[in-house]
Amino acid sequence: QYMYGYKKDYPLNSLWGFEYAGVFHDIDEVTENFTSKSYVNDVSVAADDQASHHKLVGRAKYIDQDHDGALSTDDLVYLGNADPIVFGGLQNTFNLYGFKLGVYLAYSLGGKIYNYSELLMSGGKYTNQYAYMTDAWHPVRNPESDIPRAGIGKANVPSSFQVHDASYLRLKTVNF
């Protein structure tokens, strides 16, 4: 419900979400965040419960825009517009030595796309994974990664992590 919204002075198809900031790499980073309140997560953990801090290690973190220590609608930021700046196509037929070659190219420049399926990227053993998940955070194999650890269930919220550039140039048809 956060991703698409209408707000004065923003385009109609604005994308909204939380600003992704990587993952909590270790317990020290989690503990330090309870005083700095720079980042938030969708998992509730008590500041004085050191044992539960381990739940956050390897999980996604988001910029706490209002520094209140809680993930709320006040932390939402504008992530771009779903509408392209310009789109269209180019078509031409070339006549060479008695042969005809027809080409049609379609293009779209600008605009963002929200990949909803990435919300479930760490959905556990019953969901498919994206290829980049092989580079996900792991305490031994990849402790410096900024991709949330695999297998933690639906633990992500709509954020800049799932928003991508929607520009393309596509060869639609070729006739010879």
Side-chain angles (χ1 to χ4, degrees):
Q1 73 266 20
Y2 298 126
M3 285 309 289
Y4 299 96
Y6 304 109
K7 189 173 180 181
K8 185 179 178 181
D9 297 328
Y10 286 92
L12 282 178
N13 290 318
S14 295
L15 300 177
W16 298 89
F18 301 100
E19 189 175 351
Y20 183 75
V23 301
F24 289 106
H25 292 103
D26 54 42
I27 195 70
D28 294 333
E29 193 175 332
V30 173
T31 305
E32 177 187 326
N33 188 59
F34 279 104
T35 55
S36 70
K37 294 187 178 178
S38 299
Y39 307 107
V40 288
N41 186 278
D42 60 336
V43 176
S44 296
V45 175
D48 58 350
D49 184 8
Q50 288 291 325
S52 68
H53 289 191
H54 290 283
K55 291 180 186 177
L56 292 179
V57 177
R59 287 185 180 264
K61 63 183 178 182
Y62 309 96
I63 303 287
D64 189 0
Q65 302 294 334
D66 58 0
H67 301 286
D68 66 351
L71 190 66
S72 66
T73 56
D74 294 332
D75 297 317
L76 292 173
V77 294
Y78 175 71
L79 298 176
N81 187 350
D83 294 328
I85 296 168
V86 64
F87 62 93
L90 299 169
Q91 181 174 348
N92 202 356
T93 302
F94 302 96
N95 293 310
L96 300 169
Y97 305 108
F99 294 101
K100 285 187 179 183
L101 176 66
V103 178
Y104 175 61
L105 298 165
Y107 65 90
S108 178
L109 299 174
K112 302 287 184 181
I113 189 167
Y114 169 56
N115 187 358
Y116 182 76
S117 65
E118 284 182 302
L119 274 174
L120 306 173
M121 70 166 186
S122 55
K125 61 184 177 183
Y126 298 113
T127 60
N128 290 331
Q129 305 291 313
Y130 285 92
Y132 66 77
M133 283 303 292
T134 57
D135 293 326
W137 182 92
H138 187 274
V140 177
R141 291 189 308 265
N142 205 1
E144 298 303 316
S145 176
D146 276 328
I147 299 172
R149 70 180 189 217
I152 55 176
K154 185 180 176 189
N156 294 323
V157 295
S159 71
S160 55
F161 187 77
Q162 296 101 9
V163 175
H164 306 283
D165 182 16
S167 299
Y168 66 87
L169 173 64
R170 182 176 299 141
L171 177 63
K172 296 286 277 189
T173 58
V174 175
N175 295 318
F176 184 70

